[in-house]
Amino acid sequence: NNYTINSLFELPVSSKSALMVAFRHTYYDLYENMDLDLLKNNENESNIVTIIPDYVFRDLNVKYTAIGDNGISLRFSMLMGQDKFAYEVNEEVNTFDLKKNTSEENLQKGASTVLGKNWKNGIKSKITVSYSSLNTEFNDNYKLIRRTTGNIWHENDRQIKNNTLEWNYKFDNSFSVNDFHTLETGISYTSIKSSWSEDSMNLKNIDQHINGGHYTLFAQDKISFGSTNINLGIRSNYLPYIGKLFHEPRFSVAHRLGEKMTLKAAWGLYNQFMVKASVKD
């Protein structure tokens, strides 16, 4: 269309595997030039400068699925998204030349690999490895130059980087106890890393790196009889860096009233664990 290119590519690699690739990119400037009064004085037109913005967004998705012999399956997924906004100012303000370049870029990446196996005794096993990250970078360069002498009257140069990533490793199994019960159990480990750095005029103000992780055990019993399905489960999370154990019980029920209506209800405790949250004013 008039501002975005979308593309989708699908290919059967073999009789039991397929590859899918999707890509999107914006090429239309979503933001128009904007006039800004730096000194908040609308009576003096010399204080008005024009901001020239630039915006770019693109993302990529890749997925590969394969079914092998002996009940083995493989699934790989990957995504990457980039969002960049920048603007510049190059104007005359009274007796000065104002030069300013500011940009903020966000890069999000993620990938997961799932290897599954259906055993002859009805047990299903699955190994999952996943990765996700968000990298944010902010740059701001500002110069106020006296036009008569060419001297820099005021200057500021800042770079800020904030990176967060997470690795997750999970192994789970499910097997049928009888015609009414299916039991699911598993274990996982989540590793979190965060970094924050700030540089002003080539002087490092902040440079911190934080690491942490937690272990999770979970079990769930799926009960089915007639038109009713009940899930009873519990998750237990252990955080080594604070030495605490958190239990999260779960319960849900679904009852089918007919072909077009199902009644559902659920309850549970959910915790979100963070290594550190950085706040910038």
Side-chain angles (χ1 to χ4, degrees):
N1 53 41
N2 64 343
Y3 64 93
T4 302
I5 292 176
N6 296 285
S7 60
L8 177 64
F9 175 79
E10 293 181 278
L11 175 69
V13 180
S14 67
S15 60
K16 294 184 178 181
S17 63
L19 175 68
M20 183 179 69
V21 180
F23 178 74
R24 188 170 45 165
H25 176 71
T26 62
Y27 56 89
Y28 177 76
D29 196 348
L30 300 178
Y31 299 92
E32 294 183 354
N33 292 354
M34 175 182 175
D35 291 334
L36 181 65
D37 187 351
L38 294 180
L39 303 181
K40 308 297 182 183
N41 183 5
N42 295 325
E43 297 178 357
N44 190 348
E45 292 297 329
S46 63
N47 295 328
I48 302 295
V49 298
T50 301
I51 293 178
I52 306 172
D54 184 27
Y55 178 75
V56 175
F57 169 79
R58 61 173 66 97
D59 65 355
L60 173 69
N61 289 267
V62 178
K63 184 174 183 179
Y64 175 75
T65 306
I67 300 175
D69 299 328
N70 301 321
I72 297 177
S73 62
L74 174 66
R75 185 171 70 250
F76 171 78
S77 300
M78 183 191 74
L79 68 87
M80 183 175 66
Q82 182 188 38
D83 195 318
K84 184 176 181 180
F85 176 75
Y87 70 88
E88 64 174 298
V89 177
N90 190 357
E91 294 254 343
E92 296 180 356
V93 181
N94 295 331
T95 60
F96 295 93
D97 290 330
L98 172 63
K99 300 181 183 295
K100 180 176 173 63
N101 289 279
T102 303
S103 66
E104 180 176 343
E105 181 177 358
N106 297 287
L107 180 62
Q108 184 175 10
K109 296 180 290 185
S112 68
T113 301
V114 182
L115 180 64
K117 168 70 174 178
N118 295 335
W119 305 94
K120 294 182 179 180
N121 53 7
I123 298 178
K124 298 179 180 180
S125 301
K126 187 170 59 177
I127 298 175
T128 304
V129 179
S130 61
Y131 164 87
S132 64
S133 68
L134 175 62
N135 300 333
T136 299
E137 184 171 349
F138 175 78
N139 295 280
D140 186 33
N141 181 269
Y142 168 86
K143 289 182 180 180
L144 197 60
I145 305 172
R146 187 176 289 278
R147 195 176 307 114
T148 55
T149 62
N151 295 330
I152 298 177
W153 182 261
H154 182 68
E155 182 180 9
N156 189 21
D157 188 14
R158 297 176 65 205
Q159 293 89 34
I160 299 174
K161 295 181 179 180
N162 187 203
N163 302 326
T164 303
L165 65 89
E166 175 184 296
W167 282 95
N168 183 261
Y169 311 89
K170 184 170 67 171
F171 174 70
D172 57 88
N173 293 278
S174 67
F175 57 93
S176 298
V177 179
N178 51 43
D179 294 339
F180 307 101
H181 291 267
T182 300
L183 187 62
E184 296 179 352
T185 60
I187 185 173
S188 69
Y189 174 72
T190 302
S191 172
I192 304 173
K193 295 183 179 181
S194 177
S195 65
W196 176 277
S197 65
E198 184 169 341
D199 189 299
S200 178
M201 301 296 293
N202 295 321
L203 177 64
K204 185 77 69 173
N205 296 330
I206 300 174
D207 188 14
Q208 64 180 21
H209 301 272
I210 313 294
N211 298 325
H214 62 272
Y215 300 88
T216 302
L217 286 170
F218 56 90
Q220 180 175 247
D221 186 13
K222 293 184 176 181
I223 306 172
S224 301
F225 52 92
S227 301
T228 304
N229 296 320
I230 298 175
N231 292 340
L232 293 171
I234 187 170
R235 296 173 64 91
S236 297
N237 302 286
Y238 176 70
L239 279 64
Y241 48 91
I242 59 175
K244 286 188 177 181
L245 187 65
F246 296 85
H247 299 292
E248 302 174 343
R250 311 282 173 84
F251 170 79
S252 66
V253 58
H255 180 70
R256 190 171 62 253
L257 301 178
E259 295 183 358
K260 299 182 179 181
M261 185 175 293
T262 301
L263 182 64
K264 296 181 179 181
W267 173 88
L269 296 179
Y270 298 84
N271 292 300
Q272 182 180 22
F273 303 105
M274 255 178 209
V275 176
K276 186 171 184 178
S278 298
V279 178
K280 179 174 77 78
D281 186 358

